[in-house]
Amino acid sequence: MIFHSSIEPVYFLLPVCGFIIGLFGTMLGGGGGFFFLPILTLLLKVPAQTAVITSLVATLPICMVGAYGHYRKDNINFRIGSLFATTGILGAFIGTAVTTRISAGQLKAGFGVYSVLIALNMAVNTWQKKKNEDNGKEPQKTSGIVKITKASFFGLFAGTITGTFGTSGTAPVLAGLFSMRIPFKMVIGTSLWVVLVNTIFATGTHFLIGKIDLTLVYFLTAGSAVGAITGPKLLAKTKIDRSENKARYWYAAVMAALGILMIIR
């Protein structure tokens, strides 16, 4: 179901929020859809189930523009990304079914717990990576079977999260790609492509049972599309290798903070 809510004064801040999310989502990976759900539920008090489908629709332009930008910069590994996306599509259908069977409070609390756990996982992986770098150890190469197993697990998890919370499943995709020790920029581009596929299928399934607030979508995407165009261009000019670990820690910290807010509020 599609509807238009009445415009509130706070809505005029949404293009700014959308621009920041689109910018950093395409620079740090996943499209930034992770941040839409907290904004919609905590700031605007949108019902959780409506916020899920609205978040998915608002994420699509970021993923489309961002993935294309990274494709032009040759930052997408389609072979690995396809492994994630294949099981992610199945997960999107599972997640949609889960959303229809839980309450708004359970959905918010579940999102919070998931956010904190993924943040911890990312922080630990980053710490191990830095420890190996300091000791001069070369990262171990991941075998084909291990890659397929990891991609299938994290892809299914990401798709389920996308369908359940409408957050694009960024964190599991990033966690899985980082664990494969591929270059940072390749992680970002590939994650956007995987998230785009998951989001398209999750949006389609939610469209049949959910409510989409197009007024919120218009305001959010007005800024997020511009940010998504700018992000890949800035990343291409940025020497990220030296600050990669710091970027991971900051990303994990923000995820954990938002997760805690979703649990306690």
Side-chain angles (χ1 to χ4, degrees):
M1 174 182 174
I2 297 174
F3 71 100
H4 294 80
S5 62
S6 58
I7 298 176
E8 303 289 340
V10 72
Y11 284 16
F12 292 99
L13 293 176
L14 295 182
V16 178
C17 295
F19 174 79
I20 295 172
I21 292 172
L23 178 68
F24 288 99
T26 51
M27 291 185 72
L28 297 177
F34 175 90
F35 301 101
F36 281 138
L37 187 66
I39 288 175
L40 293 173
T41 56
L42 296 178
L43 180 62
L44 303 180
K45 306 301 180 183
V46 175
Q49 277 78 5
T50 301
V52 168
I53 179 60
T54 302
S55 173
L56 283 170
V57 176
T59 301
L60 278 174
I62 301 177
C63 293
M64 293 173 66
V65 174
Y68 177 69
H70 280 284
Y71 169 74
R72 294 185 62 187
K73 302 295 182 182
D74 199 27
N75 287 338
I76 299 179
N77 187 321
F78 285 104
R79 184 176 180 180
I80 291 178
S82 296
L83 296 175
F84 280 81
T86 301
T87 53
I89 293 171
L90 174 61
F93 287 99
I94 296 173
T96 303
V98 170
T99 302
T100 62
R101 289 170 171 77
I102 60 177
S103 67
Q106 290 173 328
L107 190 146
K108 288 177 65 177
F111 174 81
V113 172
Y114 141 76
S115 302
V116 172
L117 291 177
I118 288 296
L120 289 173
N121 175 270
M122 187 174 291
V124 170
N125 282 339
T126 303
W127 175 79
Q128 290 177 337
K129 175 178 176 293
K130 185 177 184 302
K131 184 179 179 181
N132 289 336
E133 290 173 349
D134 292 341
N135 293 333
K137 294 182 179 179
E138 292 291 331
Q140 295 181 349
K141 292 185 178 180
T142 306
S143 66
I145 296 177
V146 174
K147 278 187 178 180
I148 293 174
T149 303
K150 281 187 175 183
S152 299
F153 171 75
F154 282 105
L156 180 64
F157 189 21
T160 303
I161 293 301
T162 301
T164 304
F165 301 122
T167 61
S168 73
T170 300
V173 175
L174 289 175
L177 291 172
F178 278 135
S179 70
M180 293 183 179
R181 305 294 192 268
I182 62 178
F184 185 77
K185 292 182 180 180
M186 190 69 71
V187 168
I188 305 308
T190 305
S191 73
L192 279 166
W193 183 76
V194 174
V195 165
L196 173 60
V197 174
N198 288 348
T199 303
I200 288 173
F201 279 89
T203 300
T205 55
H206 272 285
F207 182 78
L208 300 175
I209 60 175
K211 297 179 179 180
I212 306 172
D213 187 340
L214 286 184
T215 302
L216 291 172
V217 172
Y218 296 151
F219 276 91
L220 285 170
T221 55
S224 64
V226 178
I229 293 172
T230 308
K233 294 180 179 179
L234 287 179
L235 186 64
K237 299 177 182 179
T238 303
K239 294 181 179 179
I240 195 69
D241 294 336
R242 294 181 180 179
S243 56
E244 178 180 336
N245 290 331
K246 289 183 179 179
R248 292 188 187 186
Y249 279 129
W250 275 107
Y251 203 92
V254 172
M255 283 195 295
L258 287 175
I260 293 172
L261 282 175
M262 293 290 282
I263 294 171
I264 64 178
R265 296 187 66 175

